[in-house]
Amino acid sequence: METFESERAPLPRNMIENSMFEEEPDVVDLAKESPSYPIDSDDVVYEPRSSRLLVRGLGENDLDEDEEDYESSARLLGMSFMNRSSNQRSAASSYTRQQHSGSCSQPSTKTMVAGVVVLVLVASMLMVFYFLLGCTFTTAGCQKPNSTMHSLYPISTNGELFPWAELRLPPSVHPVHYNISIHPNLTLMTFQGSVSILVQVLHETKNIVLHSSGMNIIKATFEGKEVHFLEYKPWQQIAFKFPEDLKKGQYVLNINYTANLSSSFDGFYNSSYVDTNGIKRVLAATQFEPLAARKAFPCFDEPAFKSTFTIKMTRESKYISLSNMPKVKTTDLKNGLQEDEFEKSVKMSTYLVAFIVADFISVSNNVSKTTVSVYAVPDKKEQVQYALDTACKLLEFYNTFFENDYPLSKLDLVAIPDFLAGAMENWGLITFRETTLLVGSNSSSIDKQLVTSVIAHELAHQDTEFLNVRFKALAKDALNSSHPVSTVVSTPEQVEEMFDSVSYEKGASILLMLNATLTDGEFRKGVIEYLKKYNLSNTESEDLWNSLSQVSKQNLSVSEMMNTWTVHKGFPLVTVKRNGTQVTLTQEHFLLNAENSTDDSSLWHIPLTYVTDKCSVLSSCKQVFHLKDKTATLKLPDQVKWLKFNFRSDGFYIVHYDEEGWKDLIGALKEDVNVLTCKDRAALINNIFALSRSGKVSFRLVLNLMDYMRNETETAPLTEALFQLGQIYRLLDKRSELNLASRMTSYIEDHFGSLMENQSWNLETSVSKMTLRSALLEMACSLNIRNCATQAKHLFDQWFTSNKTSQIPSDLMRTVFKVAAQTDEGWGKLLDVYKHSINDPEKRKTLEALASTQDVRKIIWILQKSLDGSEIQTQEFPLVMKTICKNFAGYLYAWDFVKENWDKITQKFPVGSFAIQSIIMSATSQFSTKTHLVEAQNFFTSLGTKGSQMRIVQEAIETIKLNMRWMENNLNTLQSWL
């Protein structure tokens, strides 16, 4: 799935995704929901729980496990119930207590007799257990299996014991095939469904357990006979109990049910839009990743339970229906209804199932044996051709690149009006947010680049534009609250949280690092072999590493190296000290705040790359040294003036040099910026700001490096410098350090002002130039540098008075609109543009401008309207929050709005989802005072099970503390150096 929000750049995320629940959960109390605990971020090190991150299409974990492990876990689970019960009894008995009299009374004869009788009864019971039950009493207790099974299981909704006590489904029953019939009612926003599941019993069992959420099950039959079911809602499970063991073999389970179409953005949900005639149109679409197929049909909703599917959709004749596979036939039914039946699917996981009922139009083309189609609402039929052309070219490229043809006869790309993610790679039916698929006639190359990269991502989960993405992942992974790529989760909310920068960008980054380490196209060859060998199978990450090792001619264990990157959280800091031709290299876990971290002896196998002043720009200049130990020594063949490690920033680590090392590199850049590649210069800037934030270098050294920027002209280092300085400006601004904020503005103007002033406001075709121009002018206008705002207002007035015939370059539209939105008249005009525009890039930039207002009344209005969805789509609420929180006028109002409307927010967006993560970080990431820290801690603690244990909460608290520390350490430096 392509999550959409990005602080740095709207680039797509890569190919690393979740499969679920590799390991057993620890002991939990099923009788209650998880308790909330006060947050003390000084002590907390968040350790997530069970999900292995693997390459999408490059594998998911198998289910085979020993049933004895489940029984062992169940015993432990029972212990938690017993402990809870005894604690409750102790608490209950402590309300009153008799005072000790100070003397001992002698027991009566009657009392002694009664005591003897009790002892005899206890002894008799022990003998019964010993002889009749065959129980051997040891220090570990009775070894008889299942002796306390009645105390293990949770209570189902009807009060009966639920026959399963694990979050993960039992491995004894697997689905083989689903026959699914769905009939949505787009007037009542409900749907009827029936599912017939052919199951394979692998081990004899008396229970079938699967997932179901929010459904009213009307009737269930097993092998034609009606059966009773139990439901345990906290884990979204239903169970069917049988009096006798089901023997190994295949059986058919049928379930009829009804449900409401979801009002959030997952499951089978209702969507709507207003057409150009002002008429509200409705549709229904699906979003099942990671855990929402169970909201549309009862199923075994874990990725490793792969199966085939046959889907039938009943609809009104004015709509069309789409699903993963091509349509086989349409049958006319009563009352003007029609039923579409689709081909049997390939074997796939439930989260990749998809279906849509809507009034869409389409265009199509053929690539090899595949029909490629793009669908959208009728009003946007002129915006689909670019996506179709791009998808066809990319599909042809991937077929050749992977030497593996796309396996289906059709590929649909569908633009959904209400869609939270950027896109979702359902088999044969890829769904998109309109902004990431549709391109109007006036769209710029930078808008087209976004569409191209998202389509490429969803077709094969691969990127090339990746520097900013890697920097974002490094920033998140440098926190104590981070998690390993391959990690463990125990709740659906924690699964949602796995869709973050570490899962996506870090996972992609370490694969790109491996690609750079292997030579002669070995990475591609290994992936091709892997795809052929494990096509449509469940795999583990070791299978990929082994495939790569087999094709590599290097003396390198890919598995040994990559496991150090997937099982450890965080990444290494490599410290370089040079003495003549001898270079000492040391690795350690890099943390922005190492004060409260646990003792970490993690070591990474780092394929270090480096260049020297003798050869530093060409790929052939790159040297490689594998650092596996804590410390190692590199012997250079000749004397050099300087060393630069991590060539082109291909590695997922940062580098710190000794005093002379930094001095030599900075001096070289001031003499000639082109001694390093633009990626290497951008990485130096990124690394030195991170090192300053962690306290390892002074901010004076940062400013010393920044002096070379007056001679910089390339996009990557300039945009990275602007991003870092912009963060500091906003921190100063939010603390009301008005003098320092003003001096930071002057500093930015001094270093970048001439570049800002020399930017053209005319149409541009180069994506790189547009990216740079957009960053420079947006900062210039927001800080009122030179004549930027005047020029932007002039461009807006021309555009509006000409009825949009005088074009604003698309890459400058957001900047121009933000300037216009600062007046009542301009804001009103933009609101009218937003309501009537059908050009999605334009519409989104207009919304960002509206949210950038300094008018408090308008800020509150736009927050309310974007959350309730009445005039602004609810899917845009995270964007509205992020934009408002960037500005001083609105960030505290936005924080208050989140606190006051938390229940509504979590009804719209799942707890732990990327949207919730974005909302929390937008609201809190610029706090830097003790008052705000305490306020945030108190609020998140008060949430209880509605959010206090989310990893993103720990990240938010940690970020506030880092901001506080940075301010305390650097305010004096800023005062003296700016």
Side-chain angles (χ1 to χ4, degrees), residues 525 730 899:
K525 293 174 186 175
R730 284 191 291 273
K899 290 185 294 182

Side-chain angles (χ1 to χ4, degrees), residues 508-740:
S509 295
I510 62 177
L511 286 176
L512 288 175
M513 179 175 66
L514 176 58
N515 180 47
T517 303
L518 300 175
T519 57
D520 301 322
E522 291 173 347
F523 183 83
R524 178 193 172 207
K525 293 174 186 175
V527 170
I528 290 171
E529 288 303 311
Y530 175 85
L531 291 173
K532 289 179 179 177
K533 184 175 181 180
Y534 298 105
N535 184 31
L536 299 179
S537 300
N538 291 328
T539 66
E540 296 184 352
S541 54
E542 290 293 324
D543 298 316
L544 173 61
W545 309 146
N546 291 337
S547 294
L548 291 166
S549 293
Q550 288 168 9
V551 301
S552 177
K553 297 177 183 177
Q554 300 184 42
N555 184 22
L556 172 67
S557 170
V558 174
S559 178
E560 177 271 326
M561 183 177 85
M562 295 307 292
N563 283 338
T564 68
W565 294 93
T566 58
V567 300
H568 298 154
K569 76 174 181 179
F571 58 87
L573 165 67
V574 177
T575 301
V576 180
K577 295 182 179 180
R578 182 168 65 92
N579 185 5
T581 58
Q582 183 169 300
V583 181
T584 302
L585 302 166
T586 305
Q587 66 162 296
E588 62 182 289
H589 183 185
F590 179 75
L591 286 168
L592 288 173
N593 183 11
E595 296 173 1
N596 302 311
S597 64
T598 56
D599 180 35
D600 190 350
S601 58
S602 299
L603 289 176
W604 287 262
H605 179 162
I606 313 171
L608 285 175
T609 57
Y610 65 95
V611 292
T612 72
D613 64 290
K614 296 184 181 299
C615 183
S616 59
V617 178
L618 301 176
S619 297
S620 57
C621 300
K622 180 178 74 173
Q623 304 294 315
V624 180
F625 180 84
H626 286 268
L627 179 61
K628 303 179 184 179
D629 301 318
K630 178 75 174 176
T631 302
T633 301
L634 167 65
K635 182 70 175 176
L636 300 175
D638 302 300
Q639 290 285 350
V640 298
K641 293 180 181 178
W642 49 261
L643 284 160
K644 164 63 175 68
F645 277 80
N646 199 2
F647 180 60
R648 293 182 178 174
S649 192
D650 282 336
F652 197 75
Y653 56 92
I654 66 173
V655 184
H656 180 29
Y657 303 88
D658 59 12
E659 184 176 350
E660 286 300 312
W662 278 113
K663 180 180 177 182
D664 293 338
L665 279 170
I666 292 172
L669 284 174
K670 288 180 177 178
E671 187 175 326
D672 179 9
V673 297
N674 294 312
V675 296
L676 295 175
T677 68
C678 62
K679 286 186 177 181
D680 282 306
R681 303 198 300 270
L684 277 180
I685 294 166
N686 175 271
N687 285 192
I688 204 166
F689 272 95
L691 291 165
S692 168
R693 194 158 165 76
S694 71
K696 290 188 176 292
V697 303
S698 70
F699 198 67
R700 286 190 177 93
L701 186 62
V702 175
L703 295 174
N704 192 9
L705 174 62
M706 286 294 98
D707 282 343
Y708 105 88
M709 294 302 297
R710 292 185 179 91
N711 299 320
E712 184 60 80
T713 58
E714 292 292 334
T715 298
L718 282 167
T719 53
E720 179 62 19
L722 289 170
F723 172 78
Q724 297 289 351
L725 292 171
Q727 283 192 311
I728 294 173
Y729 172 83
R730 284 191 291 273
L731 283 176
L732 294 170
D733 186 45
K734 300 302 190 300
R735 278 178 68 111
S736 296
E737 295 282 354
L738 302 182
N739 180 45
L740 279 178

Side-chain angles (χ1 to χ4, degrees), residues 80-288:
S80 73
F81 278 113
M82 289 185 278
N83 290 337
R84 175 182 58 82
S85 300
S86 63
N87 290 340
Q88 288 175 337
R89 286 194 297 270
S90 298
S93 63
S94 63
Y95 290 127
T96 59
R97 176 179 294 178
Q98 292 183 343
Q99 297 297 320
H100 198 279
S101 64
S103 61
C104 297
S105 59
Q106 293 293 327
S108 66
T109 302
K110 185 175 180 180
T111 301
M112 292 179 66
V113 171
V116 171
V117 171
V118 170
L119 287 173
V120 170
L121 286 173
V122 170
S124 300
M125 290 174 66
L126 289 173
M127 291 175 68
V128 168
F129 276 114
Y130 185 86
F131 290 109
L132 297 183
L133 301 182
C135 182
T136 303
F137 287 92
T138 68
T139 54
C142 178
Q143 302 304 302
K144 178 72 175 180
N146 300 325
S147 61
T148 58
M149 292 303 283
H150 285 291
S151 65
L152 301 181
Y153 298 116
I155 304 300
S156 58
T157 52
N158 68 352
E160 294 183 37
L161 287 175
F162 193 78
W164 185 245
E166 302 280 347
L167 182 62
R168 184 178 176 180
L169 297 180
S172 53
V173 180
H174 278 219
V176 176
H177 180 75
Y178 293 80
N179 282 302
I180 302 169
S181 295
I182 302 288
H183 177 197
N185 185 320
L186 297 184
T187 301
L188 300 177
M189 293 302 166
T190 61
F191 67 97
Q192 301 173 16
S194 66
V195 59
S196 176
I197 311 174
L198 176 64
V199 297
Q200 181 80 38
V201 175
L202 302 176
H203 309 289
E204 292 186 0
T205 178
K206 291 182 178 179
N207 307 304
I208 296 179
V209 183
L210 61 158
H211 291 109
S212 173
S213 177
M215 294 179 188
N216 174 32
I217 296 179
I218 300 169
K219 182 180 180 181
T221 64
F222 184 76
E223 290 293 287
K225 297 180 180 179
E226 190 164 353
V227 288
H228 172 64
F229 76 95
L230 300 172
E231 183 174 16
Y232 183 56
K233 288 186 177 180
W235 282 355
Q236 301 173 346
Q237 293 177 353
I238 58 174
F240 298 90
K241 296 170 64 175
F242 304 95
E244 303 293 336
D245 280 342
L246 298 175
K247 304 300 181 183
K248 293 181 181 179
Q250 293 190 347
Y251 303 85
V252 176
L253 174 66
N254 293 298
I255 303 173
N256 296 327
Y257 59 96
T258 61
N260 293 321
L261 288 169
S262 171
S263 58
S264 59
F265 296 95
D266 63 351
F268 191 27
Y269 70 95
N270 70 78
S271 177
S272 65
Y273 67 97
V274 177
D275 67 16
T276 51
N277 296 318
I279 300 172
K280 183 179 180 180
R281 305 288 186 181
V282 294
L283 61 133
T286 58
Q287 170 59 40
F288 289 162

Side-chain angles (χ1 to χ4, degrees), residues 255-434:
I255 303 173
N256 296 327
Y257 59 96
T258 61
N260 293 321
L261 288 169
S262 171
S263 58
S264 59
F265 296 95
D266 63 351
F268 191 27
Y269 70 95
N270 70 78
S271 177
S272 65
Y273 67 97
V274 177
D275 67 16
T276 51
N277 296 318
I279 300 172
K280 183 179 180 180
R281 305 288 186 181
V282 294
L283 61 133
T286 58
Q287 170 59 40
F288 289 162
E289 188 180 48
L291 302 171
R294 64 193 67 176
K295 296 182 178 181
F297 57 97
C299 57
F300 297 79
D301 199 13
E302 294 178 14
F305 284 106
K306 292 184 177 180
S307 177
T308 55
F309 299 80
T310 298
I311 294 173
K312 296 179 180 179
M313 300 296 297
T314 300
R315 57 175 173 80
E316 296 177 51
S317 58
K318 63 181 178 181
Y319 296 111
I320 64 167
S321 71
L322 300 170
S323 189
N324 305 84
M325 304 301 293
K327 185 168 63 176
V328 175
K329 64 178 180 179
T330 298
T331 304
D332 291 330
L333 305 176
K334 296 178 181 179
N335 302 320
L337 298 176
Q338 294 179 313
E339 181 186 72
D340 295 328
E341 181 177 345
F342 298 88
E343 286 181 12
K344 181 180 177 180
S345 76
V346 295
K347 193 176 181 181
M348 62 185 182
S349 303
T350 49
Y351 74 89
L352 292 174
V353 174
F355 36 83
I356 296 169
V357 174
D359 58 344
F360 287 163
I361 55 90
S362 67
V363 294
S364 302
N365 205 343
N366 292 320
V367 176
S368 186
K369 298 177 182 179
T370 302
T371 299
V372 181
S373 303
V374 178
Y375 289 82
V377 301
D379 289 337
K380 299 179 181 180
K381 62 184 179 183
E382 305 300 326
Q383 301 179 35
V384 298
Q385 190 62 44
Y386 179 79
L388 177 65
D389 295 341
T390 301
C392 290
K393 291 175 184 177
L394 285 169
L395 184 60
E396 195 169 20
F397 166 76
Y398 285 132
N399 284 345
T400 303
F401 183 85
F402 289 113
E403 298 178 5
N404 188 12
D405 283 352
Y406 177 76
L408 304 184
S409 61
K410 69 100 172 174
L411 172 63
D412 297 336
L413 290 74
V414 186
I416 307 292
D418 279 324
F419 196 75
L420 188 58
M424 176 62 207
E425 67 283 4
N426 312 298
W427 266 105
L429 184 64
I430 304 176
T431 46
F432 293 79
R433 181 179 284 215
E434 288 182 322

Side-chain angles (χ1 to χ4, degrees), residues 60-73:
E60 293 159 344
N61 61 299
D62 210 331
L63 269 180
D64 295 337
E65 290 188 3
D66 197 311
E67 286 184 296
E68 193 172 320
D69 292 339
Y70 286 94
E71 186 169 293
S72 176
S73 294

Side-chain angles (χ1 to χ4, degrees), residues 35-46:
S36 61
Y37 301 99
I39 295 172
D40 185 354
S41 292
D42 289 324
D43 300 323
V44 168
V45 177
Y46 187 86

Side-chain angles (χ1 to χ4, degrees), residues 274 276 379-380 383 438 833 836-840 842-843:
V274 177
T276 51
D379 289 337
K380 299 179 181 180
Q383 301 179 35
L438 304 181
V833 169
H836 295 98
S837 176
I838 62 170
N839 181 301
D840 288 289
E842 176 185 279
K843 194 176 184 77

